[in-house]
Amino acid sequence: MIDSAVMSADLPPSGLGINLKPEATEDDAQRVAECLRNALTSGEITISRPTR
């Protein structure tokens, strides 16, 4: 359900933005966030509602 992803150019990357497809559900967003939680060693994850 990921439409696009952008990562900062610094190393190690300090930021990542993910846009989900319009038909994605809240459950899809939570599933992506859980995958990120399992991979991150530090930082935080923020889920925002889509802008229209």
Side-chain angles (χ1 to χ4, degrees):
M1 289 309 226
I2 294 176
D3 189 35
S4 63
V6 178
M7 186 179 295
S8 63
D10 56 337
L11 292 175
S14 62
L16 170 67
I18 297 174
N19 291 313
L20 300 180
K21 294 181 179 182
E23 63 268 26
T25 65
E26 184 175 345
D27 286 341
D28 294 321
Q30 292 296 338
R31 203 168 21 262
V32 170
E34 186 59 30
C35 288
L36 291 171
R37 278 186 203 94
N38 290 334
L40 286 176
T41 57
S42 65
E44 63 181 56
I45 298 170
T46 303
I47 300 174
S48 302
R49 294 192 177 277
T51 57
R52 298 192 185 200

